Structure formats: C-alpha cells, structure tokens
C-alpha cells in the first residue's frame, strides 16, 4: 500500500504547483520551505522510489495500484451524480 500512498503524496505536492499557477494572488497563510526546489526534489525522489517498487516488488505494489484504479470509475460515478456539491 506504500506505492498507492506515494502516488497521492506526489499528486499532493504537484497540487501546490498547480494552485500557485492558477491562483497566484491567493492568500498563503503558510510557506512551502525551499519552494520550488524542495517540492521538486520530493517529487523526483518519491517517483524514483515508486518506480523501484514497481520494478522490484510488482507482486506487492500492483494490488495497491489496482485498488487506486478501481476508485477512478467510482469517483467519476459520484461526480456525475452530483456528489461533489457542498
């Protein structure tokens, strides 16, 4: 399951870059230490670890990926049904 968690950790850090690009004037109550170098290094390091896990431990990482991929159509189904409304 670490591989599945790493996927979401990487996506979270990528989200920092996306939000800073889409909303450059938004208030930032906290600062990302060493931005942009440290988040980029984290993404690269986590991606390397993720690739090595898939390469050397596919029997234990592929089930985690399958669980994540099963969630994609479920998410789409809830989104289409209006499940993202407040």
């Amino acid at each position: 399951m670490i591989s599945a968690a790493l996927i979401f950790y990487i996506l979270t850090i990528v989200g920092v870059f996306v939000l800073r690009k889409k909303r450059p004037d938004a208030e930032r109550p906290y600062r990302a230490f060493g931005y942009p170098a440290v988040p980029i290094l984290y993404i690269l390091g986590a991606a390397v670890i993720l690739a090595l896990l898939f390469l050397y431990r596919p029997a234990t990482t592929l089930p985690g990926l399958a669980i994540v991929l099963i969630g994609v159509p479920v998410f789409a189904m809830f989104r289409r049904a209006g499940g993202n409304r407040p």
Side-chain angles (χ1 to χ4, degrees):
M1 293 310 298
I2 292 299
S3 60
L6 274 175
I7 292 169
F8 288 105
Y9 295 158
I10 291 169
L11 290 174
T12 300
I13 302 300
V14 168
V16 171
F17 289 103
V18 170
L19 287 174
R20 285 188 179 224
K21 181 77 173 175
K22 285 186 175 182
R23 300 182 64 193
D25 298 330
E27 182 181 344
R28 308 217 191 293
Y30 62 90
R31 298 184 55 86
F33 174 76
Y35 182 83
V38 173
I40 289 172
L41 287 173
Y42 180 85
I43 291 170
L44 292 174
V48 166
I49 292 170
L50 189 60
L52 290 173
L53 282 171
F54 280 113
L55 186 63
Y56 291 108
R57 301 280 185 181
T60 57
T61 55
L62 290 177
L65 180 62
I67 291 171
V68 171
L69 291 177
I70 288 170
V72 172
V74 173
F75 172 77
M77 182 177 63
F78 276 104
R79 183 134 187 192
R80 199 172 312 127
N84 62 345
R85 293 184 192 142

